Amino acid sequence: MSTETQALLLNLLPLVAIFAVAYFFMIKPQQKRAKEQQNLLKNLKRGDKIVTIGGLHGTVKTVDNKVVTIIVNNKGTEMTFEKQAIKGLS
C-alpha cells in the first residue's frame, strides 16, 4: 500500500466513524420508536386508555382503519380522532 492510499484511508476514517455514530444513536432508535408506534396503533382496541398528541386522555370506544372514537369524561362525551393522533397508552 502506498503512502497516498494510507493517507486517504486515514482521512476517510473519521467520516465513516461519524456516520456509524449517527446511525446507532439517531437513525436506529428512531426506526424502533416508529415500529413501536405502528404496533400500538395496529393493536388498539376498545377499552384501552390512551393519550393523544394534544395531551387529551380518554378511553377507546371504537376503532376503524383510520379513525378512533374515544370517550373523554364520565358524562360520555365522545371525540373522533385520526389514528395517527394517538400518542400512546396512559
Side-chain angles (χ1 to χ4, degrees):
M1 226 187 246
S2 70
T3 42
E4 290 177 12
T5 307
Q6 289 176 345
L8 180 63
L9 288 175
L10 286 175
N11 286 336
L12 287 177
L13 189 60
L15 188 60
V16 170
I18 289 171
F19 281 119
V21 167
Y23 178 78
F24 286 108
F25 286 107
M26 293 170 40
I27 297 170
K28 188 86 167 155
Q30 183 178 1
Q31 288 174 340
K32 182 180 176 185
R33 281 190 302 271
K35 187 175 181 180
E36 288 171 354
Q37 181 69 13
Q38 258 183 342
N39 286 336
L40 169 78
L41 295 179
K42 186 172 46 170
N43 296 324
L44 207 57
K45 63 187 178 304
R46 183 183 173 113
D48 284 346
K49 298 200 179 295
I50 55 104
V51 180
T52 66
I53 57 175
L56 189 68
H57 292 251
T59 304
V60 175
K61 181 179 179 186
T62 62
V63 180
D64 198 355
N65 287 337
K66 293 185 179 186
V67 178
V68 175
T69 301
I70 65 171
I71 301 171
V72 293
N73 61 19
N74 293 336
K75 296 178 185 176
T77 304
E78 295 180 7
M79 299 182 85
T80 303
F81 291 92
E82 293 285 325
K83 262 190 172 180
Q84 298 302 318
I86 305 301
K87 181 179 180 182
L89 299 174
S90 62

